[in-house]
């Protein structure tokens, strides 16, 4: 029986070889493409998300935002609701969900408690930065920490009842205007402190009384700025929190509002957190006995394995095809 023109002739054999090689190249290109895309993504800068604390708003980060943006970092400074730790951290977590790519999450003052809860279990938060802030552990509150480490804030606030929709009532805490300069912003001009007093946003008492349910700094690498002249949060508290979290720590001569008084130092610390190698949160190892969960946890690797295996089979199949053709030709020669 005559051999098939597609496989039996020399020209057909050449076509088969070319087809097998072409398919292998195409498959290898398919496997390599996601890796190249991942490398491109990894070269981009993380988004810096800045969370303000009580008695402040997003504009308190203005000097830091300007410096980060000049360095090419995308930045957002969302409004912290200041209605309670559980409400605020849930809201900020939803903001994080809207950010693409890796995140450096920064909190000032009470904002530190918020990021410690909001970042828990969030896969894209690579670093936490605490600027003269709270870092409660599970079961702690801002109130319980302040009891252990007293500060002048205890005599610098006034309580104001508030009403909200659906009959909700509560109590807001404001800074007394004559205390803002001394307790909150001693290293700023008096005129700036007056503006901060007039524009302050109050925090509900639940912001400080609710106990943390999680502490993201236990899993995510952290950086801490201690303000040595802080009269709102005791510097001893800031050092204690940083030590138990094994945080990378810097100390500067600053009042509580370090990001306003010393924006360059705060920016430098954030960039250290953003550029640190090996700062990504480690992933838990897959169970060796559960191959299905391992495959589901790394779908890209599984797909790559499937495609690579297909390429190998294709090359082996092409080789077997050529070898079989040669053997048939030798058999015919020996019969002649």
């Amino acid at each position: 029986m005559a051999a098939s023109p597609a496989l039996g002739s020399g020209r057909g054999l050449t076509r088969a070889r070319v087809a097998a090689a072409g398919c292998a190249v195409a498959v290898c290109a398919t496997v390599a493409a996601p890796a190249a895309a991942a490398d491109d993504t990894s070269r981009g800068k993380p988004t810096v998300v800045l969370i303000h604390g009580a008695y402040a708003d997003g504009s308190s980060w203005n000097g830091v935002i300007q410096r980060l943006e000049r360095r090419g970092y995308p930045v957002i400074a969302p409004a912290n609701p200041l209605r309670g730790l559980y409400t605020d951290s849930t809201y900020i977590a939803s903001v994080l969900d809207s950010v693409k790519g890796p995140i450096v999450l920064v909190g000032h003052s009470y904002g530190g408690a918020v990021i410690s809860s909001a970042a828990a279990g969030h896969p894209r938060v690579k670093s936490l930065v605490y600027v003269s802030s709270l870092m409660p552990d599970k079961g702690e509150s801002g109130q319980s920490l302040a009891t252990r480490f007293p500060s002048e804030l205890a005599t610098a606030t006034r309580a104001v009842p508030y009403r909200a929709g659906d009959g909700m009532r509560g109590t807001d805490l404001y800074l007394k205007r004559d205390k803002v300069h001394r307790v909150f912003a001693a290293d700023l001009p008096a005129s700036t402190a007056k503006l901060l007093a007039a524009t302050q946003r109050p925090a509900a008492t639940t912001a400080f009384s609710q106990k943390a349910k999680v502490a993201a700094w236990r899993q995510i690498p952290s950086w801490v700025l201690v303000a040595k002249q802080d009269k709102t949060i005791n510097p001893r508290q800031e050092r204690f929190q940083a030590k138990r979290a094994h945080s990378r720590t810097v100390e500067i001569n600053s009042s509580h509002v370090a990001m306003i008084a010393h924006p360059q130092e705060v920016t430098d610390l954030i960039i250290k957190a953003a550029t640190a190698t090996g700062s990504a949160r480690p992933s838990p190892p897959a169970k060796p006995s559960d191959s299905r969960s391992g495959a589901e946890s790394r779908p890209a690797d599984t797909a790559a394995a499937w495609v690579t295996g297909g390429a190998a089979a294709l090359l082996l199949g092409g080789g077997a095809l050529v070898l079989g053709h040669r053997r048939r030709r030798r058999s015919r020669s020996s019969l002649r």
Side-chain angles (χ1 to χ4, degrees), residues 19 26 54 69 116 144 182 192 252 281 295 302 308:
E69 289 185 337
S116 291
S144 67
R182 172 177 170 76
T192 304
I252 65 173
R281 177 176 49 192
T302 303
T308 306

Side-chain angles (χ1 to χ4, degrees), residues 85 89 93 112-121 212-216:
L85 180 59
S89 58
V114 173
I115 69 171
S116 291
S117 293
K213 297 178 180 178
V214 291

Side-chain angles (χ1 to χ4, degrees), residues 80-92 110 113-114 117 162 171-172 202-211:
N80 184 354
L82 305 179
R83 295 298 86 196
L85 180 59
Y86 305 150
T87 297
D88 299 342
S89 58
T90 300
Y91 174 77
I92 294 302
Y110 162 68
V114 173
S117 293
Y162 72 84
T171 302
D172 271 339
T205 55
T206 47
F208 305 106
S209 63
Q210 289 179 340
K211 295 179 180 180

Side-chain angles (χ1 to χ4, degrees), residues 160-219:
V160 178
Y162 72 84
R163 298 187 304 275
D166 298 327
M168 182 183 295
R169 295 173 180 269
T171 302
D172 271 339
L173 293 177
Y174 288 82
L175 287 172
K176 296 175 182 177
R177 291 202 175 196
D178 62 344
K179 299 284 189 179
V180 170
H181 194 206
R182 172 177 170 76
V183 176
F184 197 64
D187 49 357
L188 295 181
S191 57
T192 304
K194 286 183 179 179
L195 286 174
L196 292 176
T199 60
Q200 66 177 291
R201 290 184 55 214
T205 55
T206 47
F208 305 106
S209 63
Q210 289 179 340
K211 295 179 180 180
K213 297 178 180 178
V214 291
W217 47 261
R218 287 190 170 275
Q219 289 80 38

Side-chain angles (χ1 to χ4, degrees), residues 286-310:
K287 295 179 181 179
S289 60
D290 191 354
S291 59
R292 181 181 177 187
S293 63
E296 290 175 349
S297 65
R298 304 188 65 185
D301 288 353
T302 303
W306 287 344
V307 175
T308 306

Side-chain angles (χ1 to χ4, degrees), residues 117-187:
S117 293
H122 202 289
R124 293 196 305 281
V125 177
K126 64 171 289 189
S127 330
L128 299 170
V129 182
Y130 296 88
V131 179
S132 49
S133 70
L134 299 176
M135 292 177 69
D137 201 352
K138 183 179 178 180
E140 291 179 342
S141 66
Q143 196 172 63
S144 67
L145 285 166
T147 300
R148 294 179 62 185
F149 302 95
S151 73
E152 293 188 30
L153 181 65
T155 59
T157 60
R158 63 188 182 92
V160 178
Y162 72 84
R163 298 187 304 275
D166 298 327
M168 182 183 295
R169 295 173 180 269
T171 302
D172 271 339
L173 293 177
Y174 288 82
L175 287 172
K176 296 175 182 177
R177 291 202 175 196
D178 62 344
K179 299 284 189 179
V180 170
H181 194 206
R182 172 177 170 76
V183 176
F184 197 64
D187 49 357

